[in-house]
Amino acid sequence: MKIQLSTLHDIPRIMEIINDAKALLKSMNINQWQNGYPNQEQVENDISNKESYVILNENDTIVATTMFTIRKEPTYKKVIDGNWIQDESEPYGVIHRLAMSKDYRGKGISKFVFEHSHQQLKEKNIRSLKIDTHEDNKIMQALIKKMGYEYCGIIYTSYGAKRLAFEKLIF
């Protein structure tokens, strides 16, 4: 597997993967990504900011997508019923919009994305990676915890949705 920055050419495949993920979440009665987010405009914005990535298999087929940034996440300023491990004023990385092709779920791609993100942060001497997920998305919560992340409290998205916030210090 390899990971690389997305291009505008990748958008149809990225949206196919995101729509597969939306359908999976809906089938599991998880009200995440059911309100039109993420959409093509968001992906285009991520690409223009050089924050959208695609994960390719050995045949160079796109099998997953994610957004990774080291810009501060405005919705992370306020944590309810908890605190970040590292102060919010310090630099950190963020993973958003991680989705796999339905044929590649359970094949270690998420772990690969997390490890790649950790390496990117180490190279920039950034010690923290933060992520959030829906309270009913038990699969993502299990992955986050398995990767060594600690629960830090609740945040609310820009559109008012409750999310569980996690953080890991990277050394």
Side-chain angles (χ1 to χ4, degrees):
M1 275 186 292
K2 63 183 175 182
I3 188 167
Q4 65 189 32
L5 284 169
S6 307
T7 67
L8 294 176
H9 175 77
D10 298 328
I11 289 176
R13 180 64 177 145
I14 290 170
M15 292 312 303
E16 181 181 342
I17 290 169
I18 286 172
N19 289 331
D20 280 349
K22 287 179 179 184
L24 175 66
L25 292 167
K26 185 175 185 174
S27 75
M28 298 169 69
N29 294 317
I30 300 172
N31 189 23
Q32 182 177 10
W33 292 9
Q34 302 302 306
N35 64 351
Y37 168 93
N39 55 36
Q40 183 168 326
E41 182 181 342
Q42 182 67 62
V43 172
E44 289 170 359
N45 186 51
D46 293 344
I47 291 171
S48 71
N49 289 329
K50 300 195 180 321
E51 296 173 338
S52 175
Y53 292 84
V54 288
I55 296 81
L56 300 109
N57 67 8
E58 61 281 353
N59 299 320
D60 286 337
T61 300
I62 297 172
V63 297
T65 182
T66 195
M67 182 274 209
F68 171 74
T69 185
I70 57 172
R71 287 187 301 125
K72 292 194 180 293
E73 169 59 55
T75 62
Y76 287 1
K77 285 183 182 173
K78 184 175 182 182
V79 179
I80 299 166
D81 293 332
N83 292 294
W84 293 116
I85 300 167
Q86 176 179 283
D87 189 84
E88 170 66 13
S89 65
E90 297 291 323
Y92 58 88
V94 179
I95 292 177
H96 284 310
R97 298 181 279 287
L98 176 59
M100 317 299 130
S101 167
K102 58 185 169 189
D103 299 327
Y104 283 84
R105 293 181 187 133
K107 300 203 184 295
I109 294 172
S110 295
K111 183 178 182 213
F112 174 76
V113 169
F114 275 91
E115 289 171 349
H116 180 270
S117 300
H118 295 166
Q119 188 58 41
Q120 294 295 313
L121 294 173
K122 285 178 186 177
E123 290 171 9
K124 293 174 174 60
N125 292 315
I126 297 174
R127 298 183 50 225
S128 167
L129 184 68
K130 299 178 181 185
I131 189 168
D132 65 86
T133 192
H134 194 282
E135 63 188 329
D136 293 334
N137 192 338
K138 303 297 185 196
I139 294 170
M140 181 56 86
Q141 289 175 46
L143 169 69
I144 291 168
K145 290 173 185 171
K146 182 179 177 181
M147 294 299 300
Y149 285 72
E150 293 182 42
Y151 174 74
C152 294
I154 297 165
I155 61 103
Y156 283 88
T157 65
S158 58
Y159 49 90
K162 178 182 177 183
R163 296 290 182 259
L164 304 182
F166 297 84
E167 181 179 19
K168 179 177 182 173
L169 294 185
I170 312 298
F171 298 98

